Amino acid sequence: MLDVGDGGEPDPGREERPWDGDRLVAEPRKSAPALDKLLTWAYRNGASRIAFQTGHPVWVRVHGENQRAGNVALDESEMSQIVDHLYGADGTARLQGGNDFDVTYEIQVSRTERLRFRLNATPTRTCRRDGGNIVLRPIPDVPPTLEAQLVEHGILDAFRPREGMVIVSGATGSGKSTLIAGMTIAKLLDPDGHYNILEGAAPIEFLLDRLKSPSSTINQTEIPRDLPTFEAFIRGCMRREPTDIIVGECRDTVTMAAAIQAAISGHALTTTIHANDVPLTMQRIASLCPVAERDNLISAVAQSMRLVINQRLVRSKDGKRVALREFLVFDKRLRTKLLETDPSEWPSLTRKAVGEEGQSYRKAIETAVELGRITEETAAHELREIG
């Protein structure tokens, strides 16, 4: 049991709600002091996930472990107020109409400090009736640098191509956006960079325009608040003369087709894809190419690919989490091989290349053990996971 009543350490002895019995939302869109107190506590204590579900108590996830934040279940009325506060007056109606939404939520702690959360709300089915599930994921105020993220030299040498595609893949919550944000900051702080970076994401996690870059610019667009789709964002990018385009996620064939066209038009394109390793990332890319354009787009992918990184977070020795990465740099020789290989064989081609030229998960695990970042037990578990 967690107590967040005074914003201090958890108190396992208390049985009441951690927000002292008050309703989480006093008045939607205007006042939610108990909700903000709970979220502030979770943020301060390193939670990666705060979940609200109809008919259940609030759950938080801290360093990979789930804990209940109280014993009292949220009823339909309270869930409706939470949804309408986080999204707007039509939030509950949106869920009841069979639609989810991705937005950000902010808490203004003081004049100079605000806490930001990535938020997804999804309609669900419960044992009693229709319900909803809200998951908030804290966003650090400033993303950690690439050095702080312990990014490998092979990635540092390859993440800034003049043109072509950089793919960061992994599961939800594996730190893909944080890694890309670290890359973006490195570009912005480079005095000799002269980048013009355009980013579209759903939602924007790290607001980077406040960075004082000596030679570069960044402009960020939230989908669907600022523009309706990633396709519309990419289409607009092509008219704005960027050096770099960041697409928050290639999740459908339309977005993938637009992203590939941007990558072969003289831009550096960075995006994320959901996949479990580098070979499966290549399989996923091929599957997202629209059938009507597949031959041309497959050829474009083969010519434009520059770097694929797959990342997962595991428990570190200090009880927190550390990133393991599998990655492969695509030089001209490897791109030619892709071009000459049927896409159905891309996974086997890249699996072999990862072992010979890149960094496999097996190598990443061995290195993490040698450097004292993870225990032998964690390493054994991860090796079983990768097979």
Side-chain angles (χ1 to χ4, degrees):
M1 188 67 55
L2 302 176
D3 168 35
V4 301
D6 60 4
E9 292 300 313
D11 178 5
R14 291 190 51 171
E15 292 299 324
E16 66 267 27
R17 292 188 187 197
W19 49 95
D20 297 329
D22 297 327
R23 290 185 72 83
L24 286 169
V25 176
E27 186 176 359
R29 301 303 293 174
K30 291 185 178 180
S31 176
L35 175 63
D36 289 350
K37 181 185 290 186
L38 171 62
L39 294 176
T40 298
W41 176 90
Y43 193 106
R44 301 276 195 236
N45 284 273
S48 62
R49 182 180 192 269
I50 307 101
F52 303 81
Q53 183 173 342
T54 308
H56 294 266
V58 180
W59 285 82
V60 300
R61 187 172 181 85
V62 181
H63 303 320
E65 295 185 351
N66 292 330
Q67 305 172 52
R68 283 187 300 182
N71 280 330
V72 180
L74 301 171
D75 60 26
E76 289 83 355
S77 173
E78 189 157 19
M79 278 294 292
S80 178
Q81 283 197 316
I82 294 170
V83 170
D84 289 345
H85 177 73
L86 294 172
Y87 184 77
D90 61 340
T92 298
R94 184 177 178 87
L95 291 187
Q96 291 175 342
N99 299 294
D100 68 345
F101 55 82
D102 291 291
V103 294
T104 52
Y105 180 69
E106 296 185 0
I107 300 172
Q108 194 73 37
V109 178
S110 67
R111 187 174 61 85
T112 59
E113 182 186 14
R114 60 180 175 177
L115 309 182
R116 301 183 69 245
F117 299 81
R118 180 172 184 166
L119 183 158
N120 173 268
T122 303
T124 61
R125 178 71 57 181
T126 73
C127 60
R128 291 182 289 182
R129 61 181 68 185
D130 295 345
N133 177 227
I134 305 168
V135 175
L136 293 102
R137 294 158 54 198
I139 304 170
D141 185 44
V142 177
T145 64
L146 296 180
E147 290 75 16
Q149 294 185 57
L150 306 175
V151 174
E152 293 84 349
H153 288 293
I155 295 174
L156 296 177
D157 292 338
F159 79 91
R160 297 197 242 195
R162 182 176 300 175
E163 59 186 21
M165 298 182 73
V166 173
I167 308 292
V168 179
S169 61
T172 299
S174 60
K176 299 185 297 295
S177 297
T178 301
L179 179 57
I180 289 178
M183 294 175 177
T184 305
I185 287 178
K187 293 176 181 178
L188 290 173
L189 296 183
D190 181 357
D192 300 317
H194 299 282
Y195 299 100
N196 292 313
I197 303 170
L198 304 180
E199 178 181 10
I204 293 292
E205 294 196 19
F206 302 99
L207 297 172
L208 301 179
D209 63 305
R210 56 183 168 164
L211 289 178
K212 304 302 180 183
S213 173
S215 67
S216 299
T217 66
I218 185 167
N219 186 280
Q220 296 172 284
T221 299
E222 185 158 293
I223 312 297
R225 281 187 169 173
D226 302 322
L227 285 173
T229 64
F230 282 111
E231 181 189 17
F233 164 72
I234 297 172
R235 184 172 61 247
C237 285
M238 304 295 281
R239 306 186 186 107
R240 296 159 67 189
E241 198 178 353
T243 60
D244 292 62
I245 300 172
I246 302 171
V247 175
E249 181 185 349
C250 277
R251 62 180 67 173
D252 53 42
T253 57
V254 173
T255 305
M256 176 56 73
I260 293 170
Q261 291 298 334
I264 62 174
S265 300
H267 306 92
L269 187 287
T270 302
T271 189
T272 70
I273 289 176
H274 284 85
N276 289 333
D277 58 24
V278 169
L280 291 178
T281 300
M282 298 304 297
Q283 183 180 67
R284 176 72 172 151
I285 292 170
S287 71
L288 283 173
C289 292
V291 174
E293 307 172 68
R294 177 155 295 179
D295 288 346
N296 289 335
L297 290 177
I298 287 294
S299 175
V301 169
Q303 296 175 64
S304 63
M305 192 60 64
R306 295 297 186 272
L307 172 66
V308 176
I309 307 164
N310 189 267
Q311 177 168 290
R312 60 185 66 182
L313 300 179
V314 302
R315 183 171 292 276
S316 57
K317 270 192 172 181
D318 61 5
K320 298 180 181 181
R321 294 196 295 174
V322 66
L324 297 177
R325 299 182 188 90
E326 179 173 274
F327 65 88
L328 179 62
V329 177
F330 288 75
D331 58 16
K332 185 175 181 179
R333 182 189 57 79
L334 186 53
R335 294 198 298 272
T336 300
K337 278 190 176 182
L338 275 185
L339 195 59
E340 296 171 346
T341 303
D342 187 278
S344 65
E345 299 298 321
W346 280 6
S348 58
L349 170 65
T350 52
R351 182 168 287 108
K352 180 179 179 182
V354 165
E356 295 177 350
E357 305 167 33
Q359 175 172 279
S360 66
Y361 268 123
R362 186 172 296 276
K363 176 61 177 175
I365 293 167
E366 292 172 355
T367 300
V369 172
E370 291 171 3
L371 295 176
R373 294 173 183 166
I374 64 175
T375 65
E376 294 280 0
E377 291 76 15
T378 297
H381 173 78
E382 293 303 320
L383 287 170
R384 287 194 298 272
E385 286 290 308
I386 66 172

